[in-house]
Amino acid sequence: MELTLSSAQYGLVFNLFSLTVATMAAAGVFLLASRPQVAPKYRTALTVSAVVVFVAAYHYVMILQSWKGAFELAGGSYVMSGQPFNDAYRYADWLITVPLLLVELVAVLGLTRDKARPLFRNLTIAAFAMIALGYPGEIAESASTAWIFWALSMIPFLYILYTVVVKINAAIADQNAEIKSLLTSTRAILLISWWVYPIAYLLPYLGLSGAAGEVGLQIGYSIADITAKALFGVFIYRIARAKSEADGYDLATRAQPAPTTA
Amino acid sequence: MELTLSSAQYGLVFNLFSLTVATMAAAGVFLLASRPQVAPKYRTALTVSAVVVFVAAYHYVMILQSWKGAFELAGGSYVMSGQPFNDAYRYADWLITVPLLLVELVAVLGLTRDKARPLFRNLTIAAFAMIALGYPGEIAESASTAWIFWALSMIPFLYILYTVVVKINAAIADQNAEIKSLLTSTRAILLISWWVYPIAYLLPYLGLSGAAGEVGLQIGYSIADITAKALFGVFIYRIARAKSEADGYDLATRAQPAPTTA
């Protein structure tokens, strides 16, 4: 792949990567520090949310370094230096964070352990399949290979999205208005941000080739990652907080009322 | 040693090292943050588990840098730059982390102090012997030297593995079903991941020489480290959590019931 980027194109991607590092790390500190604000049973959801964004922050540091190394300034434009830009960081990141994002969600929905375990096992297998099937297409030289792996990867993708939306819908039913609204927003964040990935993946094959395709892909992935990880994490916190309040968790004494014998 | 790696071989090892950094650090954040989720007497096990994975994360950053420096891109392949790839980082890591991994396990099994101390002393001496005897073979130029030190190193290796499995078996006996199942899984993680080390060590002498042998060795060590440290640490947490619950530790009030006078 030979690309020549304008200074504006190179800088836009570079600065967006840096912004993503800062956003992910910021979300991580917030989520870790906010654990005592929620009832103990929701704290693991926050811990896992923090881990997800810290892992993403690490990967964006590496992606930023790789981007810097892959290009060099030549006569006002950025040409490829010969060092490859490493796309694999994103896939390594997703291998770790996608299963953990699903843990967050399952943990905050408060499913019983015997319901949560098989659900989580199926979702994790699907997540690995989705990522493993996407990668050969990402690094493919030919459009037909890219399309085939895209289509294969979409099968577990759609399974995950469908399953998660069904579980959120079921969880919405018996909640108060505030939690209902938060779960509805979380569902929207998930549905919108997740669809960016398969679309960004296809950009280079949808007529947006060369520099514009590459820049579009990187912008799409970065904004989707911020939404699906940092913003999603903040909503996990808000749901945990609202559920803690609904359960009668007292922030001042950090105690919950004794269960009433009905 | 002269090696020429394909771009895919170099990249696979590089990306696996980076994934290992992220996984170890992620496990460290999770284990540190999860300490309040377990009863006070199991918290040291979690602290030590966190230390182990943070030390491993540091060493994988150094290993990744060393890998990067040891090769250079020449005509589409990666040839050795003249800078040696530093294997000693792994041995330095094991010197610190193997005794600590044994501390984790002994701590979570909840042995009495007078039983834990001599056990831990013997295991630590064996761990140092195992690592010190392995290193001369790792850097050996001749196959016969490598095999001799492998065989010597296997004596303390087998002593450690046998002792630890006996202790886990004894601990399984009087636990509830959940803890039994977690201890069984932990034993499996230990048995499977530990055997990767002596096998990976021998790969270059088992017909898998040159680039394929080196790549196989690095993949084997990295996956074994993730399993024996990060996954093992998560199971230490799960055991600690289940034991805390079985002991009556109340997550909400962070109190344990007063011992009943039977």
Side-chain angles (χ1 to χ4, degrees):
Chain A
M1 183 180 62
E2 268 315 313
L3 285 180
T4 300
L5 302 185
S6 71
S7 188
Q9 284 175 322
Y10 173 86
L12 178 61
V13 173
F14 182 92
N15 290 317
L16 183 57
F17 287 163
S18 172
L19 178 91
T20 308
V21 172
T23 307
M24 296 293 188
V29 171
F30 175 79
L31 289 165
L32 266 194
S34 298
R35 292 174 78 256
Q37 308 295 106
V38 306
K41 69 172 179 170
Y42 300 116
R43 286 185 195 155
T44 301
L46 264 58
T47 308
V48 175
S49 305
V51 167
V52 163
V53 287
F54 280 131
V55 167
Y58 164 78
H59 281 115
Y60 271 89
V61 168
M62 301 301 273
I63 289 170
L64 186 143
Q65 296 301 327
S66 182
W67 184 257
K68 212 169 158 179
F71 293 95
E72 56 193 18
L73 197 53
S77 298
Y78 282 84
V79 296
M80 302 211 74
S81 68
Q83 291 283 340
F85 176 62
N86 190 355
D87 277 319
Y89 288 128
R90 297 195 178 282
Y91 283 79
D93 182 75
W94 294 331
L95 272 180
I96 302 172
T97 58
V98 175
L100 294 180
L101 281 168
L102 300 170
V103 172
E104 279 175 45
L105 187 65
V106 171
V108 89
L109 290 180
L111 299 178
T112 57
R113 217 172 268 190
D114 56 315
K115 280 192 185 173
R117 280 198 185 152
L119 173 66
F120 175 62
R121 190 197 52 228
N122 295 346
L123 288 174
T124 303
I125 294 169
F128 283 134
M130 172 180 81
I131 297 158
L133 288 168
Y135 191 61
E138 180 86 44
I139 58 165
E141 298 282 321
S142 83
S144 61
T145 312
W147 277 98
I148 289 167
F149 282 100
W150 178 85
L152 289 174
S153 180
M154 285 307 282
I155 301 166
F157 174 91
L158 290 170
Y159 166 78
I160 295 170
L161 216 50
Y162 173 79
T163 307
V164 164
V165 167
V166 165
K167 293 297 164 192
I168 296 177
N169 290 346
I172 286 176
D174 45 355
Q175 303 290 344
N176 67 34
E178 187 194 359
I179 302 174
K180 263 197 181 114
S181 142
L182 286 170
L183 283 169
T184 308
S185 303
T186 305
R187 187 179 57 192
I189 289 170
L190 204 79
L191 278 172
I192 295 167
S193 65
W194 274 53
W195 273 103
V196 176
Y197 298 99
I199 295 168
Y201 178 107
L202 286 180
L203 278 187
Y205 308 102
L206 292 172
L208 209 62
S209 61
E214 183 65 23
V215 169
L217 180 75
Q218 300 306 332
I219 292 174
Y221 279 161
S222 303
I223 293 175
D225 276 345
I226 290 175
T227 312
K229 286 167 186 160
L231 187 63
F232 185 75
V234 170
F235 271 82
I236 293 291
Y237 162 74
R238 295 183 63 190
I239 294 167
R241 181 75 196 274
K243 280 190 149 189
S244 301
E245 270 171 28
D247 294 351
Y249 175 67
D250 182 342
L251 203 53
T253 61
R254 293 203 182 150
Q256 255 171 302
T260 49
T261 43
Chain B
M1 184 178 63
E2 268 315 312
L3 285 179
T4 300
L5 302 184
S6 72
S7 188
Q9 285 175 322
Y10 172 85
L12 179 60
V13 173
F14 182 93
N15 290 316
L16 184 56
F17 287 163
S18 172
L19 179 90
T20 308
V21 172
T23 307
M24 295 293 187
V29 172
F30 176 79
L31 290 165
L32 266 195
S34 298
R35 293 174 76 257
Q37 305 293 105
V38 305
K41 69 172 179 168
Y42 299 115
R43 287 184 195 158
T44 301
L46 264 58
T47 310
V48 175
S49 305
V51 167
V52 164
V53 287
F54 281 130
V55 168
Y58 163 78
H59 281 117
Y60 271 89
V61 168
M62 301 303 276
I63 289 171
L64 186 142
Q65 294 303 325
S66 180
W67 183 257
K68 213 168 158 179
F71 294 94
E72 55 192 20
L73 197 54
S77 298
Y78 282 85
V79 297
M80 301 210 73
S81 68
Q83 293 280 342
F85 175 59
N86 190 358
D87 276 319
Y89 288 128
R90 296 194 179 283
Y91 283 79
D93 182 76
W94 294 332
L95 273 179
I96 302 173
T97 58
V98 175
L100 294 180
L101 280 168
L102 300 169
V103 172
E104 280 176 44
L105 186 65
V106 170
V108 89
L109 290 181
L111 299 179
T112 57
R113 216 171 268 192
D114 55 315
K115 281 192 184 173
R117 280 199 184 150
L119 173 66
F120 175 62
R121 189 195 55 225
N122 295 346
L123 288 174
T124 304
I125 294 169
F128 283 136
M130 172 180 82
I131 297 158
L133 288 167
Y135 190 62
E138 180 88 42
I139 58 165
E141 296 283 322
S142 83
S144 61
T145 312
W147 277 99
I148 289 166
F149 281 100
W150 179 85
L152 289 174
S153 180
M154 285 306 282
I155 301 167
F157 174 91
L158 290 171
Y159 166 77
I160 295 170
L161 215 50
Y162 173 78
T163 307
V164 164
V165 167
V166 166
K167 293 298 164 191
I168 296 178
N169 290 346
I172 286 176
D174 45 354
Q175 303 289 346
N176 68 33
E178 190 195 358
I179 301 174
K180 264 196 180 111
S181 142
L182 287 170
L183 284 169
T184 308
S185 302
T186 306
R187 187 179 57 193
I189 288 169
L190 204 78
L191 278 172
I192 295 167
S193 66
W194 275 52
W195 273 103
V196 176
Y197 297 99
I199 295 169
Y201 178 106
L202 286 180
L203 279 186
Y205 308 102
L206 292 173
L208 208 63
S209 60
E214 182 64 23
V215 169
L217 179 75
Q218 299 306 332
I219 292 174
Y221 278 160
S222 303
I223 292 175
D225 276 345
I226 289 175
T227 312
K229 286 167 186 160
L231 187 63
F232 185 76
V234 170
F235 271 82
I236 294 289
Y237 163 73
R238 294 182 64 189
I239 294 168
R241 181 77 195 272
K243 281 192 150 189
S244 301
E245 268 172 30
D247 294 353
Y249 175 67
D250 183 342
L251 203 54
T253 60
R254 296 208 179 144
Q256 255 171 303
T260 49
T261 45

